[in-house]
Amino acid sequence: MSAERLGQLDVLISAHLRWMAAAGYAEATTRARRRHLERFAAWAAPRGITHGREITLPVLERYREALFPRGSKSAQAQALSALKQWLGWAARMRHLGANPAAELQIPRLGRRLPASVLTHEEAERVLARPDTTTPTGLRDRAILEVLYSTGIRRAELIALTLADLDASGGALRIRRGKGDKERIVPIGRRALTWVDDYLCHARPRLLRAPDRGVLFLTRRGTALRANRLTERMHRYVLEAGIPKGGACHVFRHTAATLMLDGGADIRAVQEILGHAELSTTQIYTHVSIRRLKEVHAKTHPAEAPAPPLPTT
């Protein structure tokens, strides 16, 4: 293929996505990158920008301005980051003479505190909601126990296989973590008991041949769908009478916060959660401090209303 043809935006995007697939990027990451790049190409085409050499820093700054009224700062940052990754790759591969996005400024995002964190008592109320006399209810109780015990992500739970469970060692192997990073996380005895109950009494009734080894199955014997799983977990939170909202991720927030409240070392929590940066884990220390301040304000005698001064 000629250098001229390779530099066309559609060809350059396709080549980048093939490289991502070969490099082992997660499918969700590749899909998101495709969406962002195709959106940029659709914006660029009516403006006569169809080749990589026509992309300049002023062009990218115009695109950033076009994004501003259309979405949140987070959405803008994701879109611009995708462009930066793509154009940086194109420059490294010598498809472009230079990286026009090298000096592109991306909106800075502050670390947001988790929207919802459950108390231990609230978590127990949610865990008690599934009807464990049914195969799907027993499965859901096992899922909730795993989420609460390990703090793993929704996608990580869906991807679990039978081979990833080390019951004797009290551990789960997360093979498809964020960024396709693998890690081992501890899982508690209670969660293992519920998973064993599910494996003995529910999974055989949900299984359809051939058995592909997926740990948690739907009624049709297939892997769980992310949106459907979120709907079911969110329903249990609502049925427990908890107005905080949340679904799978609320148990990740809750596990991290309660472990830190209980005195866990922050670097141990970072490793369990699979955070690349310690600063990501530190948001949970802020949640812990916020709770401590609430307790302090409610219980410390110096915070009680002062009694009226005696009159003379």
Side-chain angles (χ1 to χ4, degrees):
M1 184 181 295
S2 69
E4 177 67 21
R5 176 62 180 143
L6 185 57
Q8 295 292 325
L9 294 192
D10 59 339
V11 178
L12 203 56
I13 290 171
S14 295
H16 179 61
L17 296 173
R18 287 196 300 273
W19 172 83
M20 289 182 68
Y25 279 76
E27 291 182 11
T29 303
T30 305
R31 285 197 302 271
R33 184 72 55 83
R34 178 191 297 275
R35 184 173 65 252
H36 290 306
L37 297 183
E38 289 180 346
R39 189 172 296 163
F40 170 75
W43 173 89
R47 293 162 176 80
I49 302 166
T50 59
H51 196 282
R53 64 167 176 264
E54 296 164 346
I55 302 175
T56 63
L57 181 58
V59 167
L60 295 172
E61 289 174 341
R62 283 165 54 200
Y63 184 63
R64 183 179 60 196
E65 293 172 2
L67 289 173
F68 181 74
R70 297 176 56 185
S72 66
K73 185 181 288 188
S74 175
Q76 295 165 33
Q78 291 172 19
L80 295 174
S81 179
L83 288 179
K84 228 174 172 176
Q85 295 289 333
W86 170 52
L87 293 170
W89 166 85
R92 290 194 306 274
M93 297 294 106
R94 302 290 192 270
H95 300 322
L96 295 179
N99 178 7
E103 298 182 13
L104 179 65
Q105 296 296 312
I106 295 177
R108 294 178 62 86
L109 302 177
R111 295 288 185 187
R112 294 182 300 174
L113 294 178
S116 297
V117 175
L118 306 178
T119 65
H120 176 63
E121 292 74 19
E122 289 172 334
E124 292 294 335
R125 280 160 51 194
V126 179
L127 292 170
R129 292 308 306 172
D131 179 2
T132 56
T133 64
T134 68
T136 55
L138 182 53
R139 176 204 63 195
D140 289 353
R141 176 63 188 259
I143 287 173
L144 287 167
E145 292 283 354
V146 170
L147 290 172
Y148 187 35
S149 179
T150 64
I152 62 175
R153 302 175 178 93
R154 177 183 67 176
E156 294 170 346
L157 180 131
I158 289 172
L160 287 175
T161 67
L162 296 172
D164 296 328
L165 177 66
D166 178 8
S168 61
L172 283 178
R173 181 183 298 275
I174 308 301
R175 300 178 185 273
R176 296 173 60 184
K178 196 169 185 179
D180 271 355
K181 294 179 180 178
E182 184 174 306
R183 70 186 191 280
I184 303 294
V185 299
I187 180 171
R189 289 191 300 270
R190 190 177 78 171
L192 285 171
T193 298
W194 280 103
V195 171
D196 183 65
D197 204 7
Y198 158 75
L199 291 174
C200 292
H201 302 108
R203 190 177 184 276
R205 296 170 64 182
L206 298 172
L207 182 62
R208 303 290 182 273
D211 187 348
R212 303 186 185 280
V214 175
L215 179 57
F216 293 113
L217 299 173
T218 67
R219 285 192 183 94
R220 292 185 292 275
T222 58
L224 298 164
R225 294 174 57 188
N227 290 343
R228 182 60 179 151
L229 177 60
T230 293
E231 289 172 3
R232 291 185 70 87
M233 298 303 109
H234 180 58
R235 188 184 71 201
Y236 292 130
V237 174
L238 294 179
E239 289 177 352
I242 298 171
K244 296 179 180 179
C248 300
H249 223 65
V250 73
F251 285 95
R252 182 171 171 83
H253 297 324
T254 300
T257 303
L258 295 183
M259 281 190 289
L260 289 169
D261 282 347
D265 179 79
I266 189 171
R267 291 196 178 276
V269 176
Q270 176 192 8
E271 188 170 345
I272 290 170
L273 297 181
H275 286 157
E277 302 292 338
L278 185 63
S279 59
T280 308
T281 316
Q282 285 173 336
I283 62 172
Y284 297 109
T285 65
H286 297 316
V287 174
S288 297
I289 292 170
R290 184 177 62 189
R291 283 189 169 182
L292 290 174
K293 289 175 68 176
E294 292 172 354
V295 171
H296 181 273
K298 291 178 180 178
T299 62
H300 196 288
E303 298 299 320
L309 294 173
T311 58
T312 57

